[in-house]
Amino acid sequence: MPYDQQRSRALTPPDTVRLDHTAVYASDRRLSAEFIAVILGLEVGAPFGPFLPVDLGNGVTLDYYEKRTEPIQSQHYAFLVPEDRFDAAVARLEAVGVTYYADPGHTEPGRTNSLFGGRGAYFEDPDGHNMEIMTRPYVRP
C-alpha cells in the first residue's frame, strides 16, 4: 500500500475492531524480524522506539521487542499467504535450513498439510515461536 494511503488509513478511525499490531518477544529483535521477513517475502521497517516492525501488508505489524535477560515464552503466529506465494515461502525455509512440518506438534517433518482445501506448514523461528503459513483460513463452527 502506498505511503499516502497508509497515512490516510492511519488517520481514519476504524469502523470495526481490528488487530493493529502485536509485540513479538525475541532474544535478538533484528535476527527474528529479518528471519520472518525473509520467509514471508516482506521487509523489516525502521525501528520505532524499542520495536522493530515487520509490516504484514494488511495494516497489521509484528513489532519485535528484545528481551535478552528473560526466557522467551513460545507463542503461535499464523499467516495467511496467497497460494502463489506458498511454495516460495517453503523454498525459503529449505534454503535457510529450517525444518517445516505438516502439523502443529512438529511430528511430520518436510511435509505440508491440506487443511480446508488449502496448504499449510509449521516451523519455528529463532526463539522457538511456532509459526504457521497457510493458504486458506480455518473453517470455524
Side-chain angles (χ1 to χ4, degrees):
M1 178 181 305
Y3 177 75
D4 59 335
Q5 287 178 339
Q6 288 177 2
R7 181 169 160 71
S8 174
R9 183 175 181 183
L11 298 175
T12 305
D15 55 1
T16 62
V17 175
R18 67 176 193 227
L19 182 64
D20 182 77
H21 65 275
T22 190
V24 180
Y25 295 135
S27 55
D28 180 330
R29 72 180 189 167
R30 171 73 52 194
L31 174 69
S32 292
E34 288 179 356
F35 171 82
I36 200 64
V38 164
I39 300 306
L40 298 177
L42 302 172
E43 294 183 15
V44 176
F48 181 71
F51 303 106
L52 191 58
V54 176
D55 185 339
L56 300 178
N58 63 347
V60 177
T61 59
L62 298 178
D63 290 339
Y64 281 86
Y65 181 80
E66 202 161 286
K67 291 177 78 173
R68 289 190 180 260
T69 61
E70 302 173 41
I72 304 298
Q73 173 68 42
S74 177
Q75 299 291 319
H76 174 66
Y77 299 91
F79 304 96
L80 189 60
V81 299
E83 179 70 40
D84 62 350
R85 293 176 62 181
F86 183 83
D87 289 332
V90 169
R92 288 189 287 269
L93 287 166
E94 291 173 341
V96 297
V98 173
T99 302
Y100 58 92
Y101 303 84
D103 63 306
H106 296 192
T107 64
E108 300 178 59
R111 297 183 55 205
T112 61
N113 65 55
S114 58
L115 295 174
F116 307 106
R119 296 187 295 155
Y122 298 82
F123 58 96
E124 286 189 3
D125 85 339
D127 284 298
H129 292 301
N130 192 15
M131 304 302 207
E132 177 182 7
I133 53 174
M134 58 188 184
T135 62
R136 297 284 187 277
Y138 288 176
V139 176
R140 302 184 189 277

